Amino acid sequence: MTDQPEPTQAPEVTGYARIQGYLKTLDSSPGVYRMLDSESRVLYVGKARNLRARVSNYSRPGHSGRIERMIAATASMMFLTTRTETEALLLEQNLIKQLKPKYNVLLRDDKSFPNILVAKDHSFPQIKKHRGAKKEKGTYFGPFASAGAVNRTLNQLQKAFLLRNCSDSMFSGRTRACLLHQIKRCSGPCVGLITAEAYAESVHDAERFLSGRSTKIQEELAVQMQEASEAMEFERAAGLRDRIRALTQVQTTQGINPRGVTEADVIGLHMDSGQACVQVFFIRANQNWGNQDFYPRVGPDVSAAEVMEAFLGQFYDNKEPPRQLILSDGIENSDLMEQALAEKAERKVEILVPQRGEKAELISGAVRNARESLARRMSESATQAKLLRGVAEAFQLEGPPQRIEVYDNSHIQGTNAVGGMIVAGPDGFMKNAYRKFNIRGDDLTPGDDFGMMKEVLNRRFTRLQKEDPDRDKGLWPDLLLIDGGAGQVSAVAEIMAAHGVQDIAMIGVAKGVDRDHGKEEFHRLGERAFALQRNDPVLYFVQRLRDEAHRFAIGTHRAKRAKAIGATPLDEVPGVGATRKRALLAHFGSAKAVSRANLVDLKAVDGISDALAETIYDFFHDKG
């Protein structure tokens, strides 16, 4: 009997040969394709007017280095046909945001933007900042580039129009005017210091101002001021003067206010050394409502047109586009993008690449801002990279960490306990990766910091093992910074070992002598404590990380404590949401009065059905 050689498995076909195999089954339909590697990870998502023609293009050499690498790694493809190319474009951008493929241009910081809301569910409308879905009844103005831009505008609008910003429950519970009325920021509608008609006129003026008719309003106020002065009503004239100044201040802080652009997003792109910055200016009602910069993930051989098209598709995936998009760089499928955005907005959307005039000047300013922002970021990234190399050297790591996680707890004698996790990497603090943990352990001794840390780490790594079991999504840390000494490091190591995780470096940061900055001691598992020189940049960097974790944990704790203070028993009643809660508080004045009300009185409240009134009555009756 002779030995037979073991059968060998045929090597997996990848690259051009694999892609060519799909051509036999594809037709000329529009659709979306996905290119996957040998482990079924998505490498690239693309759209096509003609799937067969696009895939055929990938089956032949002659591409850029990035595309050649992508083709070489392709082991399989997936296809989804659509009715139109517009549908393919929308689906492509959805899949890119969901799957985050390696070779696509990816918008990494895609957040919602705040608006100003003039709420219309009350006889005396409230003006306030709003972020998220536009579900409340009222008029929305925005988007604004940041919460700071909204707050500054609201501050001046309160001075100019004296509109309330208090909640409905606070409004209904007032017996005398609040401080805002005393400092001339509110007209005092809560205590009848202004009629509903006069207040409605102020609301109308505020809406006109936010709609771009600011000059007309200022002219009207100037006439009223002159009339008051001539009638020797000097106090009223002074109030009108202050209102005019407040409106002027809003316009001053807005910077450039274009006359020929009513509603547009001005989008400037600058690329350098394989990195990109996109600067967006929000122009609404001929007013500049701020700007924001974005840093999409790109490669060294990606064109400006490709970056711009990917940015537009992903940025407006969850936002309503304005009537005009003014771009610094044209895109290949501008007509297709216009059609897709118009379908989303249910009105016409125009894409422009101006070469001269006011719009070109706006683009020039956006590109200049993008260039300067990218230069600052690249400088900061170089410094950050140097610091991470220093961390690797100081703590004897295999290489510079790409993700550092720092944990901290915050509580007051064990109450409202929370845990906070902050994350840092090559681009600095990764705030979209921060996490907060409400400590739920009922068996914990109040103030047991280690018990809290144990709960936080258990929940963190249990979730990590579910979300990223193969550690290929960049969610796993390279380094954990622990607030404490050798005992804490040893205890954390046991927790990690229980999860089967023993290859992540852990460093304990203890306060050291006199618990003073600069005298920190560092602890590694099973080794003696050591310190860094007081002027070592790595020491300052670790201090910054620890301080940021402390700030985040304390902020989370304060928010939780404030929410607990503002909570009422009504929050626990089934079927009582925010609107019905407001109605009950407005009718009875307090949650305590609601709890003491009889069934007949509860049924008399607007919006409270007989069945819900019985539920509320039974809830408080059962509680005794």
Side-chain angles (χ1 to χ4, degrees):
M1 183 175 178
T2 59
D3 292 334
Q4 297 293 325
E6 290 287 336
T8 58
Q9 188 173 5
E12 188 170 16
V13 177
T14 61
Y16 293 111
R18 188 73 182 96
I19 293 173
Q20 288 170 358
Y22 288 102
L23 294 177
K24 299 175 183 178
T25 58
L26 286 175
D27 58 21
S28 57
S29 301
V32 173
Y33 58 92
R34 279 175 272 183
M35 306 174 84
L36 295 84
D37 66 10
S38 57
E39 297 181 13
S40 297
R41 293 174 297 198
V42 179
L43 298 170
Y44 185 79
V45 174
K47 69 177 183 309
R49 180 177 300 172
N50 182 323
L51 279 172
R52 192 177 194 286
R54 177 59 56 86
V55 174
S56 176
N57 185 47
Y58 285 121
S59 69
R60 299 184 297 271
H63 302 278
S64 65
R66 177 178 67 102
I67 302 301
E68 290 286 354
R69 291 190 297 274
M70 179 183 76
I71 290 172
T74 299
S76 63
M77 296 184 71
M78 296 177 64
F79 304 93
L80 183 62
T81 59
T82 59
R83 291 178 300 173
T84 66
E85 192 180 1
T86 303
E87 286 185 7
L89 172 63
L90 296 173
L91 178 59
E92 175 200 34
Q93 300 305 330
N94 285 335
L95 288 174
I96 289 172
K97 291 183 68 172
Q98 176 186 342
L99 301 173
K100 297 177 172 56
K102 178 179 179 180
Y103 287 96
N104 281 97
V105 174
L106 185 65
L107 177 59
R108 292 179 289 191
D109 183 17
D110 184 23
K111 61 183 180 182
S112 63
F113 291 94
N115 291 264
I116 287 178
L117 168 62
V118 180
K120 295 295 182 64
D121 55 355
H122 196 282
S123 55
F124 291 95
Q126 172 193 13
I127 187 169
K128 61 182 178 179
K129 178 174 63 180
H130 177 88
R131 191 190 292 269
K134 297 178 179 179
K135 295 181 179 179
E136 290 189 56
K137 182 181 178 182
T139 309
Y140 293 84
F141 299 93
F144 287 78
S146 65
V150 171
N151 291 336
R152 286 191 298 272
T153 302
L154 282 174
N155 185 38
Q156 299 303 324
L157 288 176
Q158 281 183 271
K159 292 180 182 179
F161 301 109
L162 308 181
L163 302 182
R164 72 178 182 95
N165 67 350
C166 58
S167 66
D168 290 350
S169 58
M170 183 179 292
F171 179 92
S172 61
R174 298 297 305 183
T175 57
R176 60 179 181 176
C178 67
L179 179 62
L180 285 176
H181 173 71
Q182 304 298 327
I183 62 175
K184 299 180 180 178
R185 300 266 181 107
C186 180
S187 54
C190 57
V191 290
L193 297 180
I194 184 173
T195 65
E197 293 76 14
Y199 189 87
E201 187 175 339
S202 294
V203 171
H204 180 61
D205 286 344
E207 291 179 328
R208 288 169 62 205
F209 178 83
L210 289 168
S211 298
R213 293 186 282 276
S214 55
T215 305
K216 182 68 174 175
I217 294 172
Q218 286 168 298
E219 290 173 355
E220 292 172 359
L221 291 175
V223 171
Q224 294 176 30
M225 181 179 69
Q226 182 65 29
E227 291 174 350
S229 179
E230 291 173 355
M232 301 186 71
E233 297 176 2
F234 299 119
E235 185 174 352
R236 179 168 172 265
L240 291 166
R241 178 203 61 201
D242 292 342
R243 294 174 68 180
I244 294 170
R245 286 179 177 174
L247 294 178
T248 304
Q249 181 64 25
V250 174
Q251 295 166 326
T252 302
T253 57
Q254 288 171 345
I256 299 172
N257 291 301
R259 294 184 179 181
V261 180
T262 303
E263 179 185 326
D265 284 349
V266 181
I267 305 175
L269 167 66
H270 180 72
M271 301 176 65
D272 186 11
S273 303
Q275 298 188 51
C277 176
V278 177
Q279 189 83 204
V280 183
F281 282 78
F282 301 98
I283 308 296
R284 299 294 185 274
N286 298 97
Q287 302 173 56
N288 175 15
W289 283 353
N291 61 294
Q292 186 67 257
D293 47 13
F294 301 88
Y295 301 92
R297 186 190 71 191
V298 300
D301 54 358
V302 178
S303 68
E306 184 178 352
V307 174
M308 185 65 78
E309 182 171 335
F311 177 83
L312 295 180
Q314 294 172 49
F315 184 71
Y316 293 109
D317 178 59
N318 61 349
K319 301 176 185 66
E320 182 178 330
R323 297 183 184 278
Q324 286 187 336
L325 303 180
I326 303 175
L327 312 183
S328 62
D329 297 88
I331 60 177
E332 290 184 9
N333 303 291
S334 60
D335 55 341
L336 182 65
M337 184 65 71
E338 284 181 339
Q339 184 178 348
L341 295 178
E343 288 183 7
K344 177 181 288 290
E346 297 181 347
R347 54 171 165 74
K348 183 180 179 181
V349 176
E350 186 179 14
I351 294 178
L352 304 173
V353 185
Q355 303 300 316
R356 57 183 176 273
E358 185 182 36
K359 293 183 177 68
E361 291 177 7
L362 290 173
I363 276 295
S364 177
V367 171
R368 182 178 66 253
N369 274 269
R371 181 171 60 250
E372 293 170 356
S373 296
L374 184 59
R376 287 193 298 269
R377 183 181 177 89
M378 291 174 70
S379 175
E380 291 168 359
S381 296
T383 302
Q384 188 79 357
K386 185 177 180 180
L387 286 171
L388 293 176
R389 289 195 297 270
V391 167
E393 183 178 345
F395 299 143
Q396 299 178 13
L397 307 179
E398 294 181 359
Q402 300 301 300
R403 184 183 175 105
I404 303 174
E405 293 186 357
V406 192
Y407 296 85
D408 196 10
N409 300 324
S410 184
H411 58 91
I412 294 179
Q413 296 182 341
T415 62
N416 299 312
V418 296
M421 177 192 83
I422 68 112
V423 183
D427 294 327
F429 290 120
M430 301 161 60
K431 295 195 175 184
N432 60 341
Y434 286 16
R435 294 292 180 268
K436 56 186 177 183
F437 302 84
N438 289 313
I439 304 299
R440 299 192 290 249
D442 297 328
D443 56 342
L444 292 178
T445 303
D448 181 5
D449 283 325
F450 172 68
M452 295 177 192
M453 183 61 68
K454 180 177 180 180
E455 178 180 329
V456 167
L457 289 172
N458 275 328
R459 285 164 58 186
R460 168 65 179 155
F461 282 90
T462 298
R463 184 165 183 170
L464 260 184
Q465 288 169 327
K466 290 180 180 178
E467 292 183 346
D468 191 9
D470 298 325
R471 302 196 189 186
D472 58 358
K473 298 179 181 178
L475 302 179
W476 286 75
D478 306 304
L479 174 64
L480 296 183
L481 287 184
I482 311 299
D483 186 13
Q488 281 84 353
V489 172
S490 178
V492 170
E494 291 180 9
I495 296 171
M496 304 292 283
H499 287 275
V501 179
Q502 295 176 297
D503 58 343
I504 296 177
M506 290 174 286
I507 303 294
V509 186
K511 291 290 196 303
V513 181
D514 300 327
R515 301 178 64 81
D516 189 19
H517 259 45
K519 297 182 180 180
E520 285 84 355
E521 291 183 344
F522 298 95
H523 299 262
R524 284 193 298 265
L525 188 63
E527 299 184 20
R528 295 183 60 182
F530 65 98
L532 298 175
Q533 294 292 326
R534 289 185 70 97
N535 61 350
D536 192 331
V538 173
L539 176 61
Y540 298 141
F541 179 56
V542 172
Q543 289 171 347
R544 278 175 50 215
L545 294 176
R546 187 185 61 192
D547 292 346
E548 173 69 1
H550 191 55
R551 178 204 65 78
F552 180 65
I554 287 177
T556 304
H557 166 70
R558 286 174 177 165
K560 184 178 181 181
R561 193 174 74 226
K563 185 176 181 180
I565 291 171
T568 75
L570 293 175
D571 296 324
E572 302 175 24
V573 181
V576 176
T579 302
R580 286 169 175 160
K581 178 181 171 183
R582 283 197 299 268
L584 288 165
L585 291 174
H587 187 91
F588 292 102
S590 68
K592 191 172 185 179
V594 176
S595 70
R596 293 176 175 175
N598 60 43
L599 189 57
V600 174
D601 291 338
L602 288 169
K603 291 180 179 179
V605 179
D606 289 339
I608 304 298
S609 66
D610 290 354
L612 182 57
E614 292 179 7
T615 300
I616 298 169
Y617 182 80
D618 292 342
F619 177 85
F620 288 110
H621 233 63
D622 293 342
K623 294 249 175 179

